[in-house]
Amino acid sequence: MSKFRMISAKIPEEVYRELTLRVPEGERSEFLRAAILEKLQQIPRPDKILELEKRISKLEADISGIKKYLAELEVLTHEEGKVNPHVFCIDEMDHKIVDYLLSHEGATTPELAELLKTNRWHVLNRLRKIQKRSRKQLGKPVVEYYAGEKMGKRKAWWIKQELVET
């Protein structure tokens, strides 16, 4: 049996009268012990709260890791209505084309062909495929061709900045 400690408590007169009416004189200490224990059972222990906080932190870290992996797989986009243009790339050449367009905002096919050390027809076909895939998935192309002059370039391909996440 555990050791008992004496406590004193101030309670309103009405509560004391109700206690004396309902609980016989020899059973009041046991009644108060049981009432305190019952009330304590409803309040979580600090170590349980700490344990729950740790579990929640671990869950948040796991969810963050899952989001990171999904972003790496390019399944998850971070901004509503915006997309990572690399989602529409098939291989390293497509990624290089998109990287160049992102950094320079636009490029002609001869510029890209020189960068990739290939012919401009090959680059043109890649750009058209990226355009077609993005139009099919988004409803809008992420790259588009503009024959007129824009930012000092004529007949160039441009990344649509309003669709691209930065």
Side-chain angles (χ1 to χ4, degrees):
M1 193 166 184
S2 63
K3 186 176 173 184
F4 288 106
R5 295 281 181 162
M6 176 85 78
I7 63 166
S8 64
K10 290 185 179 182
I11 57 173
E13 183 69 32
E14 305 84 48
V15 174
Y16 179 73
R17 273 192 250 124
E18 196 66 33
L19 180 68
T20 57
L21 281 175
R22 292 185 184 196
V23 181
E25 193 170 328
E27 298 175 15
R28 290 183 190 150
S29 290
E30 181 58 36
F31 176 82
L32 291 173
R33 271 193 294 276
I36 291 171
L37 287 172
E38 183 179 320
K39 189 68 174 177
L40 283 174
Q41 300 251 332
Q42 295 174 0
I43 301 172
R45 296 177 59 177
D47 57 336
K48 287 288 186 187
I49 293 173
L50 183 63
E51 181 184 325
L52 289 173
E53 285 176 351
K54 286 179 184 177
R55 288 178 65 190
I56 288 172
S57 295
K58 185 180 180 313
L59 283 173
E60 287 173 343
D62 290 347
I63 289 172
S64 175
I66 290 170
K67 283 183 178 180
K68 177 183 160 241
Y69 294 130
L70 287 175
E72 286 174 1
L73 292 171
E74 297 168 351
V75 172
L76 180 69
T77 57
H78 298 287
E79 292 182 45
E80 188 67 34
K82 300 216 175 194
V83 68
N84 182 348
H86 289 279
V87 171
F88 309 108
C89 299
I90 292 177
D91 60 4
E92 193 60 36
M93 185 176 284
D94 286 355
H95 285 289
K96 286 180 183 177
I97 290 170
V98 168
D99 285 338
Y100 189 86
L101 288 174
L102 285 170
S103 62
H104 294 86
E105 293 184 8
T108 62
T109 51
E111 286 175 356
L112 291 167
E114 185 179 325
L115 171 79
L116 299 170
K117 308 213 182 325
T118 186
N119 66 41
R120 69 183 189 89
W121 294 104
H122 186 68
V123 172
L124 178 63
N125 288 334
R126 292 301 186 106
L127 284 163
R128 285 181 177 158
K129 286 179 183 178
I130 292 170
Q131 183 182 37
K132 185 179 176 181
R133 280 191 297 272
S134 63
R135 184 180 290 129
K136 186 176 180 182
Q137 289 182 21
L138 294 177
K140 302 175 191 173
V142 78
V143 293
E144 70 181 358
Y145 179 75
Y146 181 67
E149 189 168 336
K150 182 176 173 183
M151 293 175 63
K153 296 183 183 190
R154 289 182 42 99
K155 297 182 178 181
W157 286 84
W158 301 91
I159 283 276
K160 282 187 148 185
Q161 293 297 329
E162 65 272 8
L163 295 176
V164 176
E165 66 184 22
T166 52

